[in-house]
């Protein structure tokens, strides 16, 4: 029996990160924020004086990335999100990051992963899949408040434009575009507080876990 894997996908600032972290706490599962990998590659490519739109340069950085490098708070900034989305279109970058993510998902005890392609590419067999979304306006407001809290001085309209651009790029790329897996449950958090959103996510995952346990015991 493989471990219980929870795939949490969705666009930027949909609430998927918070939901994934809380689910990890609830089920005592390790959590991987896969966006952080792309953020690290984007920032480290720029730091090396190379162009995030250059597939070979970004893939080289992705292949050299080590887990110990992921802790830098600069990866949480607005610029890092934009660089991440740019490097994430390159097939070579995605391939370089695949094994690490698959190994994380394959831990015997199970895992929670959040990203864009977890339910479709990284862990297509995950027994619990959520696609967390919200309107661009709601997501922009959340991101704007978060960035202001981190001391970044940004205009709401600029954040909304960022979000729309990221959605189009992440959903429109050829390799592993952001999309809801056929067996994922859609959770729209536009009108939900984070506590209510988590409660809805928990109920979806509980139902999936009951099905998974029943199947595991019968096979
Ligand atoms: O979730 P996030 O905002 O930290 O992700 C940053 C960017 O990384 C996102 O715009 C697209 C890319 N990404 C991806 O392509 N696939 C993932 N599984 C996670 C993130």
């Amino acid at each position: 029996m493989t471990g219980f894997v929870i795939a949490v996908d969705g666009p930027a600032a949909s609430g998927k990160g918070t939901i994934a972290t809380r689910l990890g706490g609830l089920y005592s599962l390790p959590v991987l924020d896969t966006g952080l990998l792309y953020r690290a590659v984007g920032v480290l490519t720029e730091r090396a004086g190379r162009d995030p739109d250059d597939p070979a340069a970004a893939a080289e950085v992705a292949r050299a990335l080590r887990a110990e490098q992921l802790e830098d708070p600069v990866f949480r900034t607005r610029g890092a999100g934009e660089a991440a989305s740019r490097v994430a279109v390159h097939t070579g970058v995605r391939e370089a990051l695949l094994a690490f993510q698959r190994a994380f998902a394959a831990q015997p005890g199970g895992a929670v992963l959040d990203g864009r392609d977890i339910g479709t590419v990284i862990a297509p067999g995950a027994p619990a899949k959520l696609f967390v979304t919200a309107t661009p306006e709601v997501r922009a407001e959340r991101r704007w408040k978060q960035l202001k809290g981190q001391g970044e001085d940004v205009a709401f309209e600029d954040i909304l434009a960022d979000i729309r651009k990221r959605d189009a790029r992440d959903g429109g790329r050829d390799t592993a575009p952001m999309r809801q897996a056929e067996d994922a449950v859609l959770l729209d958090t536009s009108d939900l507080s984070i506590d209510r959103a988590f409660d809805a996510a928990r109920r979806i995952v509980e139902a999936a876990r009951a099905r998974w346990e029943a199947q595991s015991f019968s096979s």
Side-chain angles (χ1 to χ4, degrees):
M1 181 171 97
T2 52
F4 186 62
V5 177
I6 307 175
V8 186
D9 287 304
S14 57
K16 65 182 189 312
T18 308
I19 287 173
T21 305
R22 289 207 194 174
L23 287 171
L26 182 65
Y27 293 104
S28 300
L29 292 173
V31 180
L32 180 64
D33 166 7
T34 64
L36 201 52
L37 304 173
Y38 294 92
R39 287 168 176 265
V41 173
V43 170
L44 296 174
T45 302
E46 284 178 337
R47 239 185 233 168
R50 310 195 60 186
D51 180 2
D53 297 325
D54 175 351
E60 201 180 299
V61 172
R63 284 193 294 271
L65 186 69
R66 296 291 163 260
E68 313 78 75
Q69 290 175 289
L70 296 174
E71 289 309 318
D72 194 331
V74 81
F75 299 153
R76 304 276 172 203
T77 60
R78 179 182 170 207
E82 172 64 13
S85 173
R86 284 165 64 191
V87 297
V89 304
H90 306 312
T91 305
V93 168
R94 307 200 71 86
E95 278 174 1
L97 302 178
L98 196 67
F100 177 75
Q101 296 175 83
R102 288 232 169 111
F104 193 93
Q107 294 178 75
V112 184
L113 290 88
D114 81 80
R116 303 289 187 291
D117 61 342
I118 308 304
T120 51
V121 175
I122 303 298
K129 294 184 188 178
L130 288 167
F131 192 85
V132 184
T133 191
T135 64
E137 290 75 14
V138 166
R139 290 187 282 123
E141 189 169 346
R142 289 178 187 159
R143 187 47 57 87
W144 179 65
K145 284 185 178 156
Q146 180 196 355
L147 290 171
K148 272 185 70 166
Q150 291 171 2
E152 276 199 58
D153 184 22
V154 281
F156 172 79
E157 287 69 27
D158 291 343
I159 298 299
L160 181 58
D162 272 10
I163 292 263
R164 290 191 197 280
K165 193 162 74 176
R166 290 259 299 274
D167 285 357
R169 199 193 281 125
D170 297 345
R173 66 184 175 224
D174 292 335
T175 309
M178 169 177 69
R179 77 180 165 78
Q180 183 182 345
E182 270 173 31
D183 52 350
V185 179
L186 181 68
L187 175 57
D188 189 331
T189 66
S190 301
D191 298 323
L192 301 179
S193 65
I194 187 58
D195 285 339
R196 281 193 183 275
F198 175 64
D199 208 44
R202 189 183 53 74
R203 276 184 271 120
I204 294 164
V205 173
E206 281 295 310
R209 191 171 172 94
R211 280 195 301 276
W212 174 77
E213 279 176 350
Q215 257 174 18
S216 303
F217 286 126
S218 68
S219 60

